[in-house]
Amino acid sequence: MSPAPRRRSVLLATAAVTAAATAPAGAATPVRHRASGPLVIGHRGAAGWRPEHTADAYTYAVRAGADWIEPDIVPTKDHVLVVRHENEIGGTTDVAGRPEFADRRTTRTVDGRAVTGWFTEDFTLRELRTLRTVERLPLVRNRNTVFDGRGRVMTFQEVIDLARRLSGESGRRIAVFPETKHPTYFRSIGLPLEEELIRVIRRNRLTARECVVQSFEPSSLHRIAAARLGLPLWQALGTSGSPYGHAVTYRDMMSPAGLREIASYAQWIGPDKSSLVPPHTLLADAHAAGLKVGAYTFRAENQYLPAAHRRGTAPNDFGDAFAEYVFHYGQGVDAVVTDFPDIAVQAREALRR
């Protein structure tokens, strides 16, 4: 790294620490302007501070300054798109303690893996409405369990409506960033995601400033592209193996030739942040192919941070999350996907100053 970027990183780190020290932990002060610099995407809302995919989590993310909010899309039995990290909801709702749904517990093979639990595709929307949301990682984020039982499963339409209300409140255009989850699996059981997603997008007349669609499966993005919605598409990339149902590997997709192929149908790639650390050249290669790069997933707990940024040995204590943003912002990423959008925004504001 050249001397100039190092000086900027030192200044950014100092300003970021100062900002962190003057803000109450966990507080979300409403942000009414968008700073220059990388986009900040609230991963499932602000999953570090509230149970994921709840109205509270999305609202917190936007008030903390997030530019986009990310809903993961899965269908109900009656083919309504709802937002859950997975179609198995035993860990994100109170369904396991609901005797009326005890007989819905089953084992399904999802993307080649046997999963046991309760699945959205076995519930109507009306039935899902009776459930309450809970923190998915109670041992990691015990503080979030205070909100257990306070939220309900949202539809994608409700997230769109919320994003538009929050856009008016904040004076900023807040985009929704839906991910099609397990699209090949859902097509196999007669509940395709893409057709319904396209219908909702058209019904709401979502523009390129209001919606970006992501998926790990290229075939899902090709189906969206064929609808000619005029929306940016984001090819998410894993660290190993292949997208389910596809012969191409993620490693091949991240090669210069693979990136040129992605650029034929998408405008973004979303790699794991570890794929952008030197000696990897993915960031420069993607930019050379005309693609923007959004890295995932930034978190504040030690166990999710590079070893150099951890503080102490407790895996769930917060480490030096600011230092990780400093590094990736300095490298030139176009967006960060984060469970803690407030920290990402403070680091970005320090960079702007």
Side-chain angles (χ1 to χ4, degrees):
M1 185 179 292
S2 65
R6 275 202 301 270
R7 287 197 296 271
R8 184 179 70 174
S9 293
V10 170
L11 291 172
L12 172 53
T14 302
V17 170
T18 301
T22 57
T29 302
V31 174
R32 294 187 175 276
H33 66 280
R34 173 174 294 166
S36 58
L39 294 169
V40 171
I41 303 172
H43 186 231
R44 310 172 199 167
W49 298 122
R50 298 291 187 273
E52 64 191 34
H53 292 313
T54 59
D56 278 351
Y58 292 128
T59 300
Y60 191 109
V62 173
R63 290 178 177 171
D67 304 294
W68 303 358
I69 51 177
E70 186 220 26
D72 293 323
I73 303 299
V74 294
T76 65
K77 183 177 182 179
D78 44 347
H79 212 176
V80 178
L81 299 182
V82 295
V83 295
R84 291 285 89 193
H85 172 52
E86 292 289 343
N87 52 324
E88 199 291 302
I89 54 173
T92 59
T93 73
D94 63 356
V95 67
R98 302 290 290 273
E100 66 270 34
F101 297 126
D103 62 348
R104 305 285 178 93
R105 189 172 188 271
T106 187
T107 299
R108 294 187 176 275
T109 301
V110 181
D111 292 359
R113 184 172 65 92
V115 181
T116 299
W118 291 261
F119 298 85
T120 59
E121 61 265 35
D122 294 329
F123 291 76
T124 64
L125 177 61
R126 183 174 181 178
E127 289 172 329
L128 283 180
R129 292 289 202 202
T130 68
L131 303 178
R132 310 304 290 179
T133 56
V134 301
E135 169 57 39
R136 185 174 66 90
L137 301 172
L139 299 181
V140 177
R141 294 169 176 167
N142 177 263
R143 61 187 175 274
N144 289 359
T145 62
V146 70
F147 301 103
D148 285 358
R150 296 180 61 86
R152 62 183 178 87
V153 176
M154 299 180 71
T155 65
F156 179 46
Q157 179 63 58
E158 288 173 330
V159 176
I160 294 170
D161 294 341
L162 178 60
R164 285 178 164 169
R165 288 198 299 273
L166 292 171
S167 293
E169 174 188 291
S170 66
R172 300 179 291 118
R173 183 72 60 90
I174 306 302
V176 292
F177 181 43
E179 178 185 347
T180 59
K181 299 289 290 193
H182 311 300
T184 295
Y185 165 74
F186 284 118
R187 283 196 295 274
S188 75
I189 63 171
L191 292 171
L193 297 174
E194 294 84 6
E195 288 87 343
E196 184 62 15
L197 179 57
I198 290 166
R199 189 183 72 80
V200 175
I201 288 170
R202 283 179 170 156
R203 184 179 68 209
N204 287 276
R205 299 181 180 179
L206 295 178
T207 68
R209 294 180 61 194
E210 295 176 300
C211 184
V212 178
V213 179
Q214 65 167 322
S215 186
F216 281 89
E217 295 187 19
S219 60
S220 185
L221 293 179
H222 282 301
R223 284 173 166 79
I224 301 295
R228 300 185 181 278
L229 300 170
L231 301 181
L233 303 181
W234 172 304
Q235 177 64 64
L237 299 168
T239 56
S240 62
S242 302
Y244 183 73
H246 297 68
V248 65
T249 67
Y250 287 121
R251 182 176 180 178
D252 289 338
M253 294 174 75
M254 289 188 280
S255 69
L259 293 168
R260 289 193 295 272
E261 169 60 25
I262 292 173
S264 70
Y265 63 87
Q267 292 69 44
W268 287 81
I269 60 165
D272 183 276
K273 60 186 180 176
S274 64
S275 299
L276 301 176
V277 176
H280 296 296
T281 61
L282 177 59
L283 183 62
D285 292 342
H287 283 163
L291 291 162
K292 294 182 179 180
V293 180
Y296 73 85
T297 301
F298 290 79
R299 300 179 171 99
E301 294 93 351
N302 278 327
Q303 63 179 296
Y304 303 119
L305 289 168
H309 300 328
R310 296 170 189 167
R311 292 176 174 169
T313 58
N316 298 328
D317 284 357
F318 279 18
D320 188 1
F322 280 103
E324 189 174 35
Y325 291 113
V326 166
F327 173 78
H328 285 277
Y329 289 170
Q331 291 291 301
V333 296
D334 301 290
V336 294
V337 181
T338 174
D339 284 5
F340 296 90
D342 48 353
I343 301 176
V345 168
Q346 286 183 31
R348 185 178 66 181
E349 285 294 294
L351 175 62
R352 183 181 68 85
R353 289 194 295 270

